[in-house]
Amino acid sequence: MAHQWQGVIREYHERLPFGADDPVVTLGEGGTPLVPAPALSSRTGAKVYVKVEGMNPTGSFKDRGMTSAISQVLHSDAKIVACASTGNTSASAAAYAVAAGLSSAVILPAGKIAAGKLAQAIVHGANLVAVDGNFDDCLRIARELTANYPVALVNSVNPYRLQGQKTAAFEVVDALGDAPDIHVLPVGNAGNISAYWMGYCEYAGRTTAASMGRSATELAPVASKVPQMWGVQAWGAAPLVLGHPVEKPETVATAIRIGNPASWKLAEEARDDSQGWIDRVTDEEILAAQALLAAQVGVFIEPGSAASIAGLLKAAEAGKVPEGATIVCTVTGNGLKDTATALSGRDLDITPIEATTEAAARALDL
Ligand code: F0G
C-alpha cells in the first residue's frame, strides 16, 4: 500500500506528549533526507552525512517544533500565536497558524531578515512588527506580550517546540541504525541543540531536563549510545563560547544573530553531558562552507546552516575529528531563503546571446 509520511507527531506519537485523539496540525514536516557528503568525508577522514532540514515544508527545521507547538495551542483559548524571530520561526509559525485556522503575529529585527523568510511571513498573512533592535529585544517583547495578552508564545521557550524538534534525532538513528559518534549543528537561540540532545538521550533510554510526558525509560531503547554534541556559533554572536551575553551580535548569518540564547542552560548541559563542545566560526568560514556544500555536495543551504559545516572543517584542521567517526551535520535551512547573500561577491555575467544553438555552443566553449 502506498505510504504517505504523516508528519512528526503521528510518526513518533509514542514519544511525544499528545494523546491519540488530540488534534494535530501538520504540513507533513520531518522525514528529511540524510545525505552522504563524500566531499566532507574526504576532507575530515570521517564518514559525514548532512541532515537536510531545508526540505521541510517551510524550508527549515522549525516546522518540526511548530507542528507540536501549534497543535498544543488548539487546547487553549488562544486565537493568536506570536513569536520573535530571525526569520525561519516566523515563516513556520505563519504557515502553521494558517493550517490551524489561527492568526499570527511575528516580531522581527528590522532590516535583518532574509528576503525569502520575510516573503513567507507576508504571504501566509502574519501580522508583522519590525523592531528597531535585535532578536534578543524581539524575544523580550514577545514574552511580555504573551504574558499580558491572550496570545500564545511559540518560540522555543515553549516546551512543545523542543518536543517536536527532538524527532530529528530519532530520524538520524532510524536512518543509520544507531546514533552517530558526533552530531554537529549551528547554535543561535540554542533550542535545537537542546532538542537533539533530548531526542538522542530518549532513544538511548535516558531522559534529560527538557523531557516531558511519558518517560523514555518506559520504551525499549532504540540506540545503544548517544553522540557527542558539537555546537557552532557565528564569531560575532557567540555568547556560549564567550560565557556571557553579547550585547550587539553581528554576523552575515542572520538566522543565528543572537546574543542571549533562551536555552542557554540546556545547551550547556547538552555540551557537557555529551562531552562535546561549542566553538565559533567567522563569517568568511561560514560563506566558504556554504559555497563548498553547494558546489561539492549538491545541497544549497542558508548561511546560518553553514556554521555547522564550517565548524566541522575547522575541527578537522585542528585535528579534533576522530578518524573514521560517523558524523552528522544538521543543515538547518534552505539556501533559497537568502539568495542575496549566496550571490554577493560573485561575478555574474548574464549578458544575453543571440537565440541560436551555435551562439550557445560558443558561449559554453564547446
Ligand atoms: N539555523 C537556522 C537556519 C535558524 O533559523 C536558526 C534559528 C538556527 C540555525 C539556530 O537554532 O535557535 O535552535 O539554536 N532561528 C531562529 C528563528 C532564532 O527565529 O528563526 P537555535
Side-chain angles (χ1 to χ4, degrees):
M1 210 176 96
H3 175 70
Q4 168 74 47
W5 177 265
Q6 299 294 309
V8 299
I9 293 180
R10 293 200 179 100
E11 295 287 339
Y12 291 106
H13 64 94
E14 272 198 314
R15 293 176 182 271
L16 291 170
F18 291 94
D21 297 327
D22 286 341
V24 171
V25 181
T26 180
L27 294 171
E29 63 295 318
T32 57
L34 186 67
V35 177
L40 296 176
S41 299
S42 63
R43 278 166 185 260
T44 58
K47 197 159 184 222
V48 183
Y49 299 83
V50 288
K51 178 72 170 155
V52 186
E53 289 291 276
M55 291 294 286
N56 277 296
T58 76
S60 86
F61 72 96
K62 304 290 181 179
D63 296 339
R64 293 179 183 277
M66 213 50 78
T67 183
S68 45
I70 302 267
S71 295
Q72 202 273 333
V73 169
L74 291 185
H75 280 285
S76 72
D77 295 333
K79 296 284 175 269
I80 306 173
V81 298
C83 65
S85 183
T86 56
N88 282 323
T89 300
S90 51
S92 186
Y96 280 76
V98 168
L102 301 168
S103 304
S104 62
V106 302
I107 300 168
L108 311 171
K112 295 293 182 182
I113 305 293
K117 302 175 188 178
L118 199 57
Q120 289 179 288
I122 292 168
V123 300
H124 292 307
N127 293 301
L128 252 72
V129 179
V131 172
D132 184 12
N134 59 35
F135 170 85
D136 305 288
D137 298 312
C138 294
L139 184 56
R140 172 177 48 78
I141 293 167
R143 287 174 119 144
E144 288 169 9
L145 267 182
T146 53
N148 294 313
Y149 298 88
V151 177
L153 183 64
V154 294
N155 278 107
S156 57
V157 292
N158 174 335
Y160 279 84
R161 279 279 312 279
L162 301 196
Q163 288 297 311
Q165 285 176 210
K166 75 184 180 185
T167 61
F170 297 164
E171 289 178 19
V172 170
V173 174
D174 290 344
L176 295 176
D178 205 343
D181 299 308
I182 294 163
H183 194 113
V184 193
L185 70 177
V187 175
N189 210 25
N192 212 27
I193 192 170
S194 310
Y196 269 88
W197 179 238
M198 172 168 45
Y200 279 124
C201 284
E202 290 183 3
Y203 245 22
R206 297 159 49 172
T207 54
T208 70
S211 294
M212 303 168 60
R214 259 162 311 177
S215 161
T217 51
E218 291 168 25
L219 298 161
V222 181
S224 72
K225 58 180 182 182
V226 291
Q228 280 183 18
M229 302 302 294
W230 291 6
V232 189
Q233 301 206 283
W235 197 270
L240 284 159
V241 180
L242 300 172
H244 58 78
V246 173
E247 208 176 309
K248 290 194 163 38
E250 267 318 333
T251 168
V252 69
T254 52
I256 53 173
R257 186 174 167 275
I258 294 174
N260 192 9
S263 296
W264 188 304
K265 287 219 163 59
L266 288 175
E268 283 184 339
E269 183 182 287
R271 176 195 65 193
D272 297 343
D273 289 358
S274 75
Q275 293 166 330
W277 45 256
I278 299 177
D279 194 7
R280 59 178 175 167
V281 290
T282 64
D283 281 0
E284 292 69 33
E285 289 168 324
I286 286 173
L287 293 175
Q290 179 190 32
L292 185 148
L293 207 68
Q296 295 186 30
V297 179
V299 178
F300 183 23
I301 60 174
E302 63 166 291
S305 308
S308 62
I309 307 298
L312 174 65
L313 294 173
K314 182 179 175 188
E317 270 164 37
K320 291 202 282 181
V321 174
E323 177 80 31
T326 298
I327 301 183
V328 174
C329 296
T330 297
V331 287
T332 43
N334 198 304
L336 295 171
K337 285 171 176 275
D338 185 6
T339 54
T341 302
L343 295 178
S344 67
R346 288 187 191 245
D347 185 15
L348 299 175
D349 180 11
I350 45 168
T351 313
I353 57 161
E354 120 201 13
T356 65
T357 310
E358 292 73 29
R362 247 192 333 273
L364 294 168
D365 284 333
L366 296 176

